[in-house]
Structures are given as C-alpha cells and as structure tokens.
Amino acid sequence: MFLRKKEKQHTLDMKRIPQHIGIIMDGNGRWARRRGLPRTAGHKKGADNLEHIADYCASLGVKALTVYAFSTENWARPQDEVDTLMQLMYDYLLTVEKKFAGRDMRLKISGDRSRFSDKINHAIDHAEEVTASGNGMVLNIALNYGGRDEIVHAAKMVAERVKNGTCCPEEIDETYFAQFLYTADLPEVDLIIRPSGEQRLSNFLLWQAAYAEFWYSDICWPDFKDRNMRQAILAYQRRDRRFGGVK
Ligand code: FPP
C-alpha cells in the first residue's frame, strides 16, 4: 500500500505536462573545470545534452522548450569562449535538418540577430525554414537574447505603430504588447528551470516569467538528465498555481 502510494507520487500526470518550459543551461564552465577541462568542453557537452533533453520533452508532449544559449551579456566573455559558442551554434544549425528529420520538431531562434555574421544568419534562416512544418514541439533557442532587450525591442515596434497611425495608445494592453515579443507564437511559459545551483533569472524571459513556476537544481547542465527533468515536472505538478487569485 505504502509502495503503491509512493509510486503514484512519482508518476507524471500526463494531462498536466507544462506546455512551455524554459531552461537556463547553466554550469557548463564548472562542469568542465571540475574535470580539469577547458570551459569550452563544458559548452560542447552542454550542447549534446540539449539534444537529449529536447527529445525527452517532446516525448512528454511539451509544446515549446526555450533554452538560454547566449545572452546579450555573454559577449563580455573571453573571445575564445564566445567564438566556441558561435561555432557550436553554427555547427548545430548546419545539422538541424538531419537531426530533426522524423522528430516533428520546429526550430526557432529568438534574440537580436544584428550582431551575428551573415554566415550564421543564413544558417538560422535555413534551419528555421527546413523545420517549419514540425508540429510536435518548438525548440526555441535564445541567442543573443536578453529579457530587457526583448521588451525594449517590442516597445520600439509598438511606438513605430503609434507613430505611423496603425495603433493608438488606448489600444495598448498586455495582450497587444505581447504580440511583439519573440514568444508571441508560443504558449505561456509554465516552468523555468535553472541547473547548477544559482537561483536567479539572469535576464531570461522576464516578461514571460510573470507567473511561471521556478525550479532549480544543484546539478550542472551537462549532467542534467531525463530523471532530473522529470523531477522538475513532478515538482511543478505539485505546485498550487493561483495566478494572483484565491482558490
Ligand atoms: C552558462 O554556463 C552557459 C552558457 C552561457 C552557454 C550555454 C550554451 C550551451 C549549452 C551550448 C548551446 C549550443 C547549442 C548548439 C544550442 P556557464 O558557462 O556560465 O557555466 P559556469 O557558471 O559554471 O561558469
């Protein structure tokens, strides 16, 4: 009886799988340092891990997975680390068509693309195009992304519309504004996960985090496995989400 009850507590409720999960893929550097490896080795391992976790999320029926791969602040890192991250991203984009074949997944890149080389921008366009018909899950990679930057970008687009007369200030409400965010075509973010022990958002999905549940783990991202993801979702399913109301 006890065992059965315990087992039940550890079974995911497939009807309450978070629709949209955000992950801050943190701890790559520490994972590498602990093994006497360069930080870049941690990023490589982290990129491989993303593939496993994306597959696991898709298999659970998650509709969108947004991962923080490079922030607007990450340009301040040593040049060789920035170069490795850009190269990893480029290599990944080139293999997306093959990787996503038979996976029913769509790739989306969110962030300010103006700082990327033409080579990377073409690879992004191509990768998004060849996966556009994937209906199962959107893998949304936040690249040169900052939550504040995203909000400023949206505000500029709204201001432009007011200026050219296609919108008047009275029309602007949260729903109107949100259509200019990178996540406009994705469901509300339900759960944000941060591995590696840190407990802050670091400019990730600031608008979208308003009512998302937060879960953190001490495990570094390269070691974050399906069972940890499952743990996060189980914790999410135990939360009482009131959205500011009373139940
Ligand atoms: C934070 O860990 C991680 C990043 C800034 C980069 C995350 C990028 C990847 C996992 C690779 C993504 C690649 C593809 C192809 C999507 P950190 O370096 O700050 O770790 P630390 O806090 O231990 O130093």
Side-chain angles (χ1 to χ4, degrees):
M1 172 66 183
F2 172 73
L3 260 181
R4 241 184 286 147
K5 194 175 168 200
K6 210 172 168 203
E7 228 169 71
K8 205 172 168 199
Q9 281 172 352
H10 290 83
T11 304
L12 287 180
D13 179 348
M14 298 309 284
K15 291 196 202 78
R16 287 196 304 130
I17 294 295
Q19 294 226 330
H20 186 168
I21 299 177
I23 304 181
I24 301 173
M25 302 186 289
D26 196 14
N28 299 334
R30 274 162 287 168
W31 181 92
R33 206 173 53 226
R34 284 173 199 156
R35 285 160 181 80
L37 299 168
R39 293 175 54 79
T40 48
H43 295 314
K44 284 184 190 132
K45 190 80 180 165
D48 292 343
N49 196 40
L50 172 59
E51 294 192 35
H52 296 297
I53 294 295
D55 273 347
Y56 181 62
C57 288
S59 75
L60 294 178
V62 171
K63 296 278 171 261
L65 175 66
T66 296
V67 292
Y68 209 5
F70 195 89
S71 77
T72 43
E73 291 75 33
N74 285 153
W75 297 103
R77 294 192 171 209
Q79 193 57 45
D80 73 313
E81 186 167 338
V82 170
D83 291 346
T84 300
L85 284 166
M86 288 300 141
Q87 189 62 45
L88 265 180
M89 201 58 227
Y90 181 66
D91 293 345
Y92 178 79
L93 291 166
L94 294 188
T95 57
V96 155
E97 188 167 11
K98 212 164 128 199
K99 280 193 169 85
F100 280 37
R103 275 191 162 88
D104 202 20
M105 251 191 244
R106 172 162 78 86
L107 183 82
K108 178 180 165 82
I109 300 292
S110 292
D112 174 6
R113 288 173 52 175
S114 66
R115 269 188 87 165
F116 298 144
S117 63
D118 286 349
K119 192 175 89 166
I120 290 190
N121 273 318
H122 286 139
I124 292 175
D125 288 340
H126 180 73
E128 287 186 336
E129 212 176 289
V130 294
T131 61
S133 61
N135 289 316
M137 185 183 86
V138 180
L139 175 59
N140 180 31
I141 301 185
L143 206 57
N144 195 22
Y145 172 88
R148 289 181 175 180
D149 185 67
E150 178 184 31
I151 292 168
V152 169
H153 173 255
K156 279 186 183 158
M157 291 178 82
V158 172
E160 199 53 51
R161 275 162 180 76
V162 173
K163 194 173 148 194
N164 68 26
T166 51
C167 155
C168 60
E170 293 70 32
E171 267 180 80
I172 305 166
D173 58 11
E174 291 183 12
T175 309
Y176 185 87
F177 191 85
Q179 64 180 313
F180 300 100
L181 299 172
Y182 297 125
T183 49
D185 57 335
L186 304 179
E188 286 284 331
V189 177
D190 291 317
L191 172 64
I192 294 180
I193 298 172
R194 182 161 194 164
S196 92
E198 311 291 354
Q199 298 180 42
R200 54 178 172 269
L201 278 177
S202 299
N203 208 8
F204 184 53
L205 299 177
L206 295 185
W207 174 286
Q208 298 83 345
Y211 278 102
E213 295 296 323
F214 189 71
W215 192 83
Y216 75 95
S217 153
D218 288 334
I219 296 164
C220 289
W221 171 248
D223 283 335
F224 195 88
K225 302 291 170 226
D226 296 1
R227 64 176 178 281
N228 308 111
M229 194 70 203
R230 202 167 154 275
Q231 247 181 315
I233 298 175
L234 278 168
Y236 163 84
Q237 292 185 339
R238 286 194 288 264
R239 304 269 174 91
D240 179 19
R241 301 185 79 194
R242 293 187 298 279
F243 299 94
V246 180
K247 269 189 191 163

